[in-house]
Amino acid sequence: MPRIVVDVMLKPEILDPQGKAIVGALPRLGFNAFSSVRQGKRFELTVEGDVTDEILAQAREAAETMLSNPVIEDVVNVEVVADQP
Amino acid sequence: MTETPLIGSYPAGQGGAPLNGARIGVVTFPGTLDDRDAARAVRVSGATAVELWHGDSSLGGVDAVIIPGGFSYGDYLRAGAIARFAPLMAKIVDAANSDALLPVLGICNGFQILTEAHLLPGSMIKNDHLKFLCRDQVLRVENNATAWTNAYAAGQDITVPLKNQDGQYIADEKTLDALEAEGRVAFRYVGANPNGSRRDIAGISNAAGNVVGLMPHPEHAVEAGYGPGHTGTDGLGFFTSVLNTLLGGK
Amino acid sequence: MSDVSTDSAQKFNIDTVENAAATPDVQLPWAELGLKQNEYDDVVKVLGRRPTGAELAMYSVMWSEHCSYKSSKNHLRQFGEKVTEEMKKDMLVGIGENAGVTNLGDGWAVTFKIESHNSPSFVEPYQGAATGIGGIVRDIISMGARPVAVMDPLRFGAIDHPDTARVMHGAVAGIGGYGNSLGLPNIGGEMVFDPIYQGNPLVNALAVGVMRHEDIRLANASGLGNKVVLFGARTGGDGIGGASVLASESFDSTKPSKRPAVQVGDPFAEKVLIECCLELFKGSLVEGIQDLGAAGISCATSELASNGDGGMEVELTSVLLRDPTLTPGEILMSESQERMMAVVSPGNVAAFEAVMDKWAVEYSWLGEVTGTGRLIIKWEGEVIVDVDPRTVAHDGPVYDRPYARPDWQDALQADTFTGSVQDAGRPATPEELKAAVLELIASPNMCSKDWITNQYDRYVGGNTAMAFPDDAGVVRVDEETGLGVALATDANGRYTFLDPYHGAQLALAEAYRNVATSGAIPMAVSDCLNFGSPEDPDVMWQLAEAIRGLSDACMELGIPVTGGNVSLYNQTGSTPIHPTPVVAVLGRFDDVARRTPSGWAEDGQAIYLLGTTAAELDGSEWANLRGHLGGAAPKVDLQRERELGEILINASRDGMVDAAHDLSEGGLAAALVESSLRFNTGARVALDEVAARDGVDTFTMLFSETQGRAIVAVPRSEEVRFNDMCTARRFPVSRIGVVDAAGGALDIQGLFTVPLDELREAHEGTLPKHFG
């Protein structure tokens, strides 16, 4: 079954406590290359059959209205991922 | 209900250190919440609580360690995921796995840290109802042969507070079968399963029985008036159990 | 954002004081920042020139209703004026500081305060409610106290309105998510559903903290040469959505198009901040401290400087930023959470830094205390703010808003429930009365709140002696002696709508009664006044009357207001919320082991009803269930409340009662059910005699909301003593029943018997049914 992947991130200007805690911990384990971490959410919407433009549009609307909170989050990516073996 | 022996009931000098000398470390991470409560429980049981800081590189010669509840590092990555890399955790893991079999108790976030540190198998995910749940919880003591449960009778029901967001214990079927076969399920939830934990598991031990982790909070049921139902003190047995252990009883 | 140049001077056209003086005709966006013409003129007059952009930012936030109390100040004075010497006796710090401090004895002091976070909680319920907890907790820390508990009175729209679920789930999860992560037990609060709050939910938060007397800290910057430090989270654009007009300061096009009006809380950062501050206090490493909440650095610098003995000079580019594109004005206005500002003597700088490093808390030294009396803020050495800090922090505008008794008030009060259309078919037969009791206890406002409170940690800290559903939350302060405090919050918007003066008094009376019912001696009051727009004379009258009523009642009960908060403009269009003064009362226990729970557990104990019952159904839960709101609020008799309180406190102290529950919303019916369900122990009750004594029918006996009443369970051995005490005080008391453990039911003789399981199902089913 094809899946539509939706990635949601906190808006850039919104504080991300999760990312902040992680970036603070990375150097303690020797990972020094990363100056910032932002933690997001990934949703996978499975579709029975082909992903039509209409279904993709539905996914986009669901992403904007339900999967994300437009007050604090952005939908940064909506893409179709082919069936996996 | 089995009466929990108080410190004065123990005969002195049966091998091991004298009781009033038992030193039990309580680890504080940034974001730990129940450290004072765990230390109080240690004191109520008659031993000495020793503050340990996550950044310490030594266990300071403590006789046992409690990793208390809370939200270490906010639990933002996964519960316990960052705390397990603390310098002190390496010492705790070594000591727990050494011949000395350092008794280690992980409560709630402490249990989560112990699974992240692979001292105990499995993991905790979000409660099946997706909410934080705080309530008085009945547990059955399934294994009273561990370092932290020997003051209880096998099959005894105890009531202690439960309070968590990520309390659903999961492991693969093989692990769960092995845990049951080896008697390493230390506690099960009695009555309605509060969070979807596999096979109603509330707490487990390692094979040697010196490391125990559970989601509910025995340290919040050690003083009448401040625990379940205004009177409950069923949690005190954890802390007297480890004194039995240290005395050489087990 | 790494491509943004750190060379700020190139990014901003910095409006210096020098520039402002030289360019008097530059137009500033003062109206967009919420200032009125007369207020802007005042700023110009105070400064003797036009303000700089940064100064304008400071004045506009500090002179806002939220920070300056400009509409309510003239009325709030009564809380400070209607106070006797006796009332001041235990007040260590009064109104005006971050929170008042009350002497608890044995060298202990307690500080508590209640605040609103209404509007943010409607926009983004989770973060709004979470940061509400965060803010009030920082107020408590900044007094030098260790926070020990929180409470949260909540008021949402209709239980079955689709948007209520959004607000409910978000706010409850936010309070839990934040509060649970701080290690603070949540010990009580309220949950009221009413369509009047649909577009304006009320999310109030209370925090209480304790300290030794010598640890009390105040927000002042004193001592020439002492260092000013900002620590905790970095400063971002949080909560300055409205300040984006200041973008005219910027030449940079890469800045975020929109500043977030939503502040995001980081409970982990707050928890670390709490422990870090307590370590600073323990080592006496700070001279003064102030939390950053509304108006952020503007508030902290101006408050610290104006409360100190000199001035202050800070370099704003030293502030650690989360968003490097912020302009000076935005930095000054930012409401980023989990920040504190402190004043540190030069000798303690190294020790201060060591504590910060231990807890991995970021900090930056901003400047120092001066002797000039001025607050000077620089940007890369250039002066962008040069003000008398008092003019920012304390000498804002004050308005005498017009107010008048609404012309509809008389008609409202004349519309009594008894005999109204909605009163048709009032329950009278045993079957009807049984159904009415079940309907009442399952109703949105009277049902069990376990669904909410089970999402809050009430155990953490190990000192919680009582929490919901008991009448008051009780926390042990001293583990050796058992010294402790009790807290209750109450409000009734319907009563206050019917009669603002007495409605506010009823809120106080109920909170007072709840504290006394637990066995504690009421000591102090904090209030959160939630009202509509002060520019509406009707609303302004409600506010004025409520403050007058509350201050009169505090005087009569002898307990002072030590702090609080006013939240105005809670209205949708021209429809204001019911006036909702939420009143918190704090009480003291010598030993919390004496606390009295709200339910009975011992078979055979006698159940007494204290007080008399009149036909008072106007504004009641029953009338509300029938869709009626009108008539007169229940009569207030503060003398009676005081006498009742003394009886309950003495009875608790001398071991004469094992359970006590106050009668308020839902009357005797609700109290009997709740006391039976508390420990799952039934009772047999007979009401004929007491109803005949009071001259009311059974329905009225069960559902009237007459004040000054409580039920208690008295051990057999104490009955004589208890009766003697009530008789000696000439307080009406009647033995109405007996605890019946075996029956497993609430039996009201001659009327009906309901098994506890049936009561429980009705009582506990409502919230899960609506919210899953």
Side-chain angles (χ1 to χ4, degrees), chain C residues 508-509 512 552-559 638-639 641-642:
Chain C
L508 175 69
Y512 181 95
D552 283 349
C554 286
M555 181 96 164
E556 193 167 344
L557 288 173
I559 48 175
L638 295 169
Q639 202 46 48
E641 298 290 352
R642 205 170 175 152

Side-chain angles (χ1 to χ4, degrees), chain C residues 373-662:
Chain C
R374 305 290 289 179
L375 170 61
I376 309 282
I377 297 176
K378 293 182 173 175
W379 187 266
E380 297 195 324
E382 295 203 73
V383 177
I384 57 168
V385 172
D386 181 353
V387 296
D388 174 350
R390 276 204 67 83
T391 65
V392 179
H394 298 298
D395 299 338
V398 179
Y399 291 125
D400 252 323
R401 303 260 190 217
Y403 60 91
R405 190 171 200 270
D407 47 22
W408 43 262
Q409 198 77 30
D410 286 343
L412 178 70
Q413 292 188 346
D415 174 24
T416 57
F417 175 68
T418 301
S420 67
V421 178
Q422 292 91 337
D423 189 27
R426 180 186 287 196
T429 68
E431 293 72 34
E432 288 167 352
L433 286 167
K434 176 184 169 185
V437 169
L438 286 168
E439 182 187 349
L440 178 84
I441 61 160
S443 69
N445 293 339
M446 300 311 302
C447 69
S448 163
K449 303 305 185 299
D450 285 0
W451 185 89
I452 297 171
T453 57
N454 284 349
Q455 296 185 53
Y456 304 148
D457 184 347
R458 61 182 172 275
Y459 281 110
V460 68
N463 289 312
T464 308
M466 282 206 314
F468 34 69
D470 289 319
D471 286 6
V474 176
V475 178
R476 175 175 61 178
V477 171
D478 187 324
E479 292 190 28
E480 298 294 318
T481 63
L483 179 76
V485 294
L487 274 160
T489 74
D490 286 290
N492 188 312
R494 295 193 309 270
Y495 293 169
T496 317
F497 180 60
L498 297 179
D499 182 344
Y501 180 87
H502 291 109
Q505 297 193 327
L506 288 165
L508 175 69
E510 188 182 343
Y512 181 95
R513 195 161 62 235
N514 276 323
V515 165
T517 303
S518 77
I521 302 166
M523 289 193 85
V525 177
S526 180
D527 58 348
C528 185
L529 306 174
N530 305 278
F531 286 75
S533 166
E535 295 167 41
D536 175 345
D538 292 357
V539 171
M540 198 58 219
W541 176 78
Q542 293 172 333
L543 179 63
E545 283 293 282
I547 293 172
R548 191 171 67 85
L550 187 55
S551 54
D552 283 349
C554 286
M555 181 96 164
E556 193 167 344
L557 288 173
I559 48 175
V561 172
T562 61
N565 163 252
V566 181
S567 171
L568 302 178
Y569 298 97
N570 293 292
Q571 59 181 60
T572 308
S574 61
T575 308
I577 59 165
H578 288 332
T580 312
V582 176
V583 178
V585 170
L586 175 125
R588 174 189 190 279
F589 273 105
D590 285 334
D591 183 354
V592 296
R594 295 281 184 206
R595 85 273 180 279
T596 311
S598 64
W600 40 69
E602 294 299 323
D603 188 53
Q605 294 194 341
I607 299 168
Y608 283 83
L609 172 62
L610 288 155
T612 56
T613 306
E616 294 187 291
L617 290 158
D618 292 342
S620 67
E621 280 301 334
W622 180 260
N624 184 44
L625 277 178
R626 288 292 168 267
H628 184 274
L629 178 55
K635 188 165 168 288
V636 183
D637 183 345
L638 295 169
Q639 202 46 48
R640 170 68 63 92
E641 298 290 352
R642 205 170 175 152
E643 290 162 8
L644 176 66
E646 281 169 10
I647 286 173
L648 291 165
I649 295 159
N650 286 340
S652 153
R653 192 190 51 219
D654 295 347
M656 284 186 262
V657 297
D658 277 1
H661 195 356
D662 92 307

